[in-house]
Amino acid sequence: MATDRLSLSKILSYINQEVHIAPLVTFRIVFGLVMSFAAIRFMAKGWVQDLYVTPKFYFFYEGFEWIKPLDETGMYAIFCIMAVSAFLIGIGLFYRVNVLIYFLSFTYVELIDKTTYLNHYYFVSLVAFLLLLVPANAAYSVDVKLFPKLKRLYVPRWTIGVFKLQLGMVYFFAGIAKINHDWLFRAMPLKIWFAPFIQNEWLGWFFSIKIVPYLFSWCGMLYDVFIPFLLLWKRTRIWAYLTVIFFHVVTWWMFPIGIFPWVMIGSTLIFFSTEWHQKIQAWVFGVENSELRVQNSEYRIENSEVNRSKWSPTIIVLAVFFFIQVLMPMRYLAYPGKLFWTEEGFRFSWRVMLIEKVGTTIFTVKDLQDGREWEVHNLDFLTPLQEIMMSTQPDMILQFAHYLGEEYKRKENIDEVGVFVNSRVALNGYRNRPFIDSSVNLMLEQNDWKHKSWILPFDGENKEVK
Amino acid sequence: MKKAIKYTFLVLIGAGLMSGFSCKKKKKKDEPVEVTCDYSVTNMLSGIGNNIIIPRFASLTQTTLALKTEAASFVTQLDSASLVNLQKKFNAAYLSYQKVSMLNFGPALTNGFNMRERMNVFPLSVTTFDLYMNNNNTQPSQNANAAVGFPAIEYLIFGNVDSVLAEFTTGSQATNRKTYLVNLTDYLHQLSSTVYNAWISSGGNYIATFVADGGNSIGSPLSLLVNELNFDFETLKNFKYKIPLGKFDAGIVQPDKVEGYYSGTSVALSAANADAIYKLYLGVAESGTDGEGLHDYLVCLDAYYQTEDVSLANSINSQFALIYSKMLAIPDPMSATLYSNKQVIDDAHNEMQIAVPLLKREMTAAMGVQISYTDNDGD
């Protein structure tokens, strides 16, 4: 017991030890500016219109039914607020307020529609939340210019560590998720995605080599699993970072993943040493030999034994936060069946680029009393993107079924309505097969945490490891 | 530590390479061991453009010219023999349109009109049509989609079986109907030749753009071709079958919503449409010679990551054959068959339904042709 307590207090005193703020400042500036650009880019591409104004129906997250989009002006206003608050985070003006505004506005938009769920949007929400807890504006910020009292050159080690941990977990869990039969031994879905690249003028010959997708699959898995450790270790850091750049630039070139590569390339800079960040900052801001530069010391030694092994509410919040972060990618273990097929426990788990999954879904609404039935033209209710996303994800199929049931009930004066679905899905190069039990009236099924028994089993020969 | 990492890397990469080889060994005997997908999309596009697309538009231009000429002579000699000739020319032109309806991209959109919308929006709105005739609105270019193109001409010359000629001679709209017929056929020919001329190398030379890019990004020739092929297939399934069958209307059949309602050629038209989509997929030239098509590219892609006994390319092939044979089993006019033997129509519809995931989802995925237009991280 005594040793346990001792080691816990050791850990606490380690994470509370004061270190120089420089890496945190770089992180704040890069994150703020990139996310500001991202919000502007999103508007410029017309996606606010396409994703949050055009749709008639939105796939809500369970428990967040009350989150609704605003009207067109409102949605554009939200994105403008996002762009401005992110920019102000970058330059460090009214930092805490803007982090809060950014976190809320970004997360609000993400919660509107499951269709647009992306792991990297989830990552942005988490980082924004973490930024709320740290004084990233305590140096090189407008706040410090306006309120010199805020200036602080030393911050607890955890204020930087949380971002390293968060990034490390993203990579690590993404890597672990790649350890499966499809990815490693069938090179799926990379094989499918690489195949069209044989048409590339310059690199076609390379992609036509049969072994290439296997090589990328294995390297990708190893890269994700090991990169957090290689970035932490001083001797491998620079090489690891170069592979970060290489890997993300390659994925940016090959796939439509937008700004995410740049977010990661910018964020992982936080793994570099204080001295490195100080040098960069001195160079960028032209402040040579300023008081901000601290020679040869990563952390402050004076003040070393002051109450550092104490719990603080923030530390408790963070402990819970990361505990949940560890549980989320593991929750799929609680469900039977093939994860990639049922997608029960798939989201919020850093399962990136793991599946090529396409499907078609035909809904039939029935009046159970007089036998009348209607086939549904999905695009009367959904955007093409929503239809595509819905067709492979059972919880979205169920939500849409419930919506259709209510719509037809009203429109066609039905007392007892049944909604049935004929659905076929093709996963990772296997031919399409039935996905949902077409004899089940989905109106009687609930979207909860329980296993959805109406998802037909993936009965193929896929011997996936998990 | 460093060494340990290094060796782990080497072992794992080695295992990865071996897994690749071992997978190959499992392949069936009739397949070459080293299957690398070696295929040129630009060659395929060149074949499709020169031997399928351009000849199809050339043929549409000719058949619409013949229709236009016949219409001009018909209005000067309003008798039943002349009408029969005109109807024949109309049927020929409508059939040749079925071969280009999946080519509604590039010049069919960029010349100030949308070919599909100007040529073949059905069912015709009779109300709008009458309004135009009573108000002397006989300029097709200024009229709504639902009262121009093939359906409007069809209504004029097939309309009411007993009184078609009378409508042109003694009917209250006779003068306007004559003018509109001449204008409609002229307009149809104009649109056809505009698209045709925009394609050919001695005209707008869109063919050069079409064969230059073998990529699969949004707006690339391959993407346009695949997307429009799928759109047309959906139109075929939904508008020519599903809606008339009453699938969206509690099963109550909608015979007046079929294509070719007045001429009674619905099945012939839809079979021609299905066949034209299939031949484009196969790469069969208008001359009948088999060239390279989406099928051949798919064979290559599929072989690259083959996982099942039946290839996707062949599944699509056999499905098209089934669709075509089921369609031919439906007696025309479809509007009558909907009452007498709805099942045969439903059979053809069901086969089309089965083709959708293959064509619209699996084929597009294999070719990397995007339908989604925002960022994604693959989940």
Side-chain angles (χ1 to χ4, degrees):
Chain A
M1 280 313 271
T3 49
D4 276 351
R5 212 180 297 142
L6 186 66
S7 65
L8 189 61
S9 79
K10 260 187 186 165
I11 290 170
L12 279 170
S13 91
Y14 177 78
I15 64 175
N16 282 322
Q17 191 169 40
E18 301 228 307
V19 297
H20 197 273
I21 196 172
L24 187 58
V25 168
T26 309
F27 188 83
R28 183 204 84 216
I29 295 170
V30 170
F31 181 82
L33 298 184
V34 171
M35 294 325 294
S36 179
F37 171 77
I40 294 165
R41 172 176 176 269
F42 204 94
M43 286 187 275
K45 292 239 178 193
W47 292 343
V48 177
Q49 181 77 37
D50 294 343
L51 302 178
Y52 299 111
V53 179
T54 310
K56 295 172 198 154
F57 168 76
Y58 294 89
F59 293 92
F60 56 81
Y61 287 90
E62 284 69 33
F64 293 94
E65 295 86 339
W66 47 276
I67 296 214
K68 301 274 182 241
L70 303 172
D71 63 0
E72 182 170 358
T73 323
M75 288 315 295
Y76 275 100
I78 291 280
F79 275 85
C80 289
I81 288 170
M82 245 189 252
V84 171
S85 58
F87 179 76
L88 295 179
I89 293 170
I91 65 168
L93 176 59
F94 304 124
Y95 169 79
R96 297 267 179 171
V97 175
N98 279 305
V99 171
L100 184 64
I101 292 172
Y102 184 76
F103 169 70
L104 291 176
S105 56
F106 189 91
T107 308
Y108 159 71
V109 169
E110 289 321 306
L111 286 174
I112 292 175
D113 193 352
K114 265 181 189 170
T115 307
T116 57
Y117 171 79
L118 291 184
N119 284 299
H120 60 257
Y121 290 154
Y122 174 48
F123 172 76
V124 169
S125 270
L126 295 179
V127 167
F129 174 76
L130 292 174
L131 280 172
L132 268 176
L133 308 177
V134 300
N137 60 332
Y140 282 122
S141 70
V142 181
D143 281 342
V144 169
K145 282 256 187 297
L146 295 177
F147 316 103
K149 268 189 190 166
L150 286 174
K151 189 155 155 188
R152 224 176 127 184
L153 292 184
Y154 290 90
V155 289
R157 191 189 291 273
W158 64 260
T159 60
I160 295 165
V162 287
F163 297 103
K164 292 185 188 175
L165 181 57
Q166 184 62 62
L167 279 161
M169 285 172 73
V170 171
Y171 280 116
F172 184 72
F173 279 112
I176 295 296
K178 289 183 172 71
I179 304 176
N180 70 69
H181 183 265
D182 274 6
W183 181 270
L184 295 177
F185 299 105
R186 296 176 60 231
M188 280 292 177
L190 287 189
K191 244 189 208 179
I192 299 178
W193 294 340
F194 280 13
F197 282 90
I198 56 178
Q199 299 303 323
N200 187 278
E201 216 177 319
W202 313 109
L203 289 167
W205 62 272
F206 178 70
F207 285 102
S208 67
I209 301 169
K210 224 191 157 186
I211 212 73
V212 165
Y214 291 93
L215 207 63
F216 273 68
S217 287
W218 281 81
C219 291
M221 182 274 286
L222 294 171
Y223 167 81
D224 279 347
V225 170
F226 289 113
I227 203 72
F229 307 104
L230 299 178
L231 281 169
L232 281 170
W233 195 24
K234 206 172 177 183
R235 289 177 64 182
T236 48
R237 187 175 297 141
I238 182 68
W239 300 106
Y241 190 69
L242 289 175
T243 63
V244 167
I245 295 176
F246 174 78
F247 177 84
H248 287 298
V249 168
V250 167
T251 53
W252 171 76
W253 174 67
M254 294 189 73
F255 308 112
I257 49 179
I259 51 124
F260 182 59
W262 312 111
V263 173
M264 292 308 267
I265 288 172
S267 302
T268 40
L269 285 174
I270 202 166
F271 284 93
F272 281 90
S273 68
T274 305
E275 286 79 8
W276 185 88
H277 282 280
Q278 287 171 335
K279 264 185 223 158
I280 293 288
Q281 285 160 14
W283 179 71
V284 171
F285 298 105
V287 197
E288 204 53 52
N289 290 327
S290 83
E291 51 175 328
L292 285 165
R293 276 196 76 175
V294 177
Q295 311 291 330
N296 304 325
S297 86
E298 274 222 3
Y299 54 89
R300 188 150 60 172
I301 297 144
E302 67 278 22
N303 192 25
S304 58
E305 296 305 323
V306 189
N307 277 337
R308 284 215 319 259
S309 61
K310 242 177 42 180
W311 286 94
S312 69
T314 315
I315 296 292
I316 292 165
V317 167
L318 285 169
V320 173
F321 176 88
F322 283 108
F323 182 65
I324 295 170
Q325 289 283 311
V326 173
L327 287 186
M328 288 299 266
M330 308 294 215
R331 74 187 191 283
Y332 78 95
L333 293 167
Y335 295 102
K338 182 176 162 64
L339 171 66
F340 293 171
W341 183 249
T342 65
E343 297 200 30
E344 292 177 310
F346 193 83
R347 290 189 198 101
F348 311 112
S349 306
W350 316 117
R351 299 181 198 282
V352 188
M353 310 203 77
L354 285 175
I355 53 178
E356 169 63 35
K357 198 176 180 191
V358 287
T360 44
T361 315
I362 300 163
F363 291 88
T364 305
V365 181
K366 286 185 185 163
D367 184 329
L368 297 175
Q369 282 169 348
D370 66 10
R372 289 181 301 161
E373 58 178 75
W374 294 261
E375 193 177 307
V376 176
H377 189 232
N378 295 338
L379 294 182
D380 288 346
F381 304 93
L382 303 177
T383 65
L385 180 69
Q386 286 180 315
E387 190 196 21
I388 288 171
M389 300 309 283
M390 174 273 293
S391 288
T392 59
Q393 302 182 48
D395 58 340
M396 292 171 75
I397 290 177
L398 186 63
Q399 257 184 35
F400 186 49
H402 287 182
Y403 169 76
L404 288 173
E406 296 306 325
E407 282 289 300
Y408 275 78
K409 217 172 174 173
R410 204 164 37 79
K411 205 173 71 184
E412 305 287 349
N413 286 319
I414 305 171
D415 282 333
E416 206 186 327
V417 72
V419 178
F420 300 84
V421 65
N422 192 319
S423 163
R424 297 190 73 89
V425 166
L427 172 65
N428 280 353
Y430 289 111
R431 216 56 351 113
N432 74 72
R433 57 192 74 197
F435 188 44
I436 303 293
D437 187 342
S438 60
S439 68
V440 170
N441 177 2
L442 293 179
M443 287 309 278
L444 303 177
E445 302 298 326
Q446 293 309 311
N447 232 348
D448 50 27
W449 301 107
K450 286 192 210 108
H451 168 59
K452 296 173 173 61
S453 55
W454 37 271
I455 304 172
L456 295 171
F458 182 88
D459 55 6
E461 63 269 55
N462 192 355
K463 302 163 214 77
E464 207 214 337
V465 175
K466 290 183 200 168
Chain B
M1 177 72 179
K2 207 176 181 184
K3 266 186 184 169
I5 290 172
K6 190 174 150 196
Y7 285 123
T8 319
F9 260 93
L10 287 174
V11 166
L12 287 169
I13 287 171
L17 292 171
M18 274 161 65
S19 78
F21 289 119
S22 64
C23 284
K24 256 179 270 164
K25 276 185 214 147
K26 279 185 227 152
K27 284 272 159 65
K28 278 158 262 116
K29 275 180 204 154
D30 56 343
E31 272 171 20
V33 178
E34 258 310 324
V35 188
T36 49
C37 183
D38 182 14
Y39 191 80
S40 164
V41 167
T42 47
N43 279 353
M44 173 189 80
L45 291 173
S46 169
I48 289 177
N50 288 301
N51 306 329
I52 302 178
I53 299 179
I54 289 178
R56 285 185 182 182
F57 278 115
S59 146
L60 180 69
T61 309
Q62 284 157 17
T63 54
T64 51
L65 177 63
L67 176 64
K68 172 190 159 176
T69 315
E70 196 66 43
S73 92
F74 169 74
V75 292
T76 61
Q77 192 180 348
L78 295 162
D79 58 36
S80 52
S82 187
L83 179 63
V84 169
N85 281 337
L86 179 60
Q87 289 174 336
K88 273 185 194 154
K89 294 287 195 290
F90 172 83
N91 288 339
Y94 211 176
L95 281 172
S96 69
Y97 169 79
Q98 301 299 328
K99 293 184 169 193
V100 302
S101 71
M102 76 299 298
L103 304 174
N104 201 37
F105 58 87
L109 294 180
T110 54
N111 282 291
F113 60 88
N114 179 326
M115 182 185 75
R116 177 193 296 280
E117 290 179 359
R118 296 311 282 165
M119 288 194 183
N120 195 30
V121 169
F122 62 89
L124 173 90
S125 166
V126 177
T127 328
T128 313
F129 181 91
D130 277 334
L131 204 68
Y132 289 156
M133 290 305 95
N134 297 334
N135 293 334
N136 308 323
N137 296 334
T138 54
Q139 277 307 320
S141 60
Q142 286 156 26
N143 288 354
N145 296 336
V148 296
F150 285 102
I153 303 171
E154 185 194 27
Y155 181 65
L156 278 169
I157 64 174
F158 289 92
N160 192 333
V161 185
D162 306 318
S163 62
V164 168
L165 275 176
E167 294 284 4
F168 282 104
T169 49
T170 56
S172 61
Q173 301 170 343
T175 315
N176 281 343
R177 283 196 172 214
K178 278 188 278 188
T179 315
Y180 201 36
L181 175 66
V182 169
N183 289 351
L184 278 171
T185 53
D186 182 56
Y187 182 59
L188 198 59
H189 174 63
Q190 255 182 50
L191 299 182
S192 309
S193 53
T194 303
V195 180
Y196 171 66
N197 284 317
W199 267 95
I200 56 178
S201 53
S202 56
N205 204 15
Y206 181 72
I207 183 73
T209 316
F210 187 72
V211 304
D213 176 8
N216 59 355
S217 56
I218 296 161
S220 64
L222 180 69
S223 161
L224 294 174
L225 190 71
V226 168
N227 271 297
E228 283 309 309
L229 183 140
N230 271 294
F231 187 82
D232 200 46
F233 189 75
E234 288 277 318
T235 308
L236 169 65
K237 176 185 59 120
N238 290 345
F239 286 86
K240 304 185 184 182
Y241 283 79
K242 211 182 269 286
I243 290 174
L245 278 165
K247 298 272 178 192
F248 298 142
D249 297 279
I252 301 158
V253 294
Q254 315 279 317
D256 56 339
K257 290 190 179 162
V258 298
E259 182 188 33
Y261 176 63
Y262 299 101
S263 58
T265 55
S266 315
V267 179
L269 291 171
S270 67
N273 193 193
D275 186 52
I277 295 173
Y278 185 30
K279 295 238 167 81
L280 180 70
Y281 164 79
L282 288 176
V284 176
E286 284 306 280
S287 64
T289 339
D290 187 15
E292 293 199 335
L294 296 170
H295 170 78
D296 304 85
Y297 184 30
L298 204 50
V299 166
C300 179
L301 291 171
D302 211 36
Y304 187 66
Y305 61 83
Q306 180 147 22
T307 46
E308 313 242 337
D309 294 339
V310 184
S311 73
L312 175 58
N314 286 334
S315 310
I316 293 177
N317 266 11
S318 46
Q319 200 53 39
F320 263 119
L322 261 176
I323 291 167
Y324 193 61
S325 70
K326 298 274 180 186
M327 280 184 178
L328 293 184
I330 309 168
D332 250 330
M334 190 193 269
S335 51
T337 311
L338 278 167
Y339 290 117
S340 61
N341 192 1
K342 183 173 145 181
Q343 191 54 47
V344 287
I345 303 173
D346 208 12
D347 290 346
H349 162 265
N350 290 338
E351 298 302 340
M352 280 189 269
Q353 199 88 281
I354 293 170
V356 172
L358 304 172
L359 276 177
K360 189 178 177 180
R361 299 288 185 237
E362 290 181 68
M363 182 176 83
T364 53
M367 294 182 179
V369 171
Q370 278 170 47
I371 294 181
S372 135
Y373 45 86
T374 52
D375 294 341
N376 67 72
D377 59 11
D379 56 16

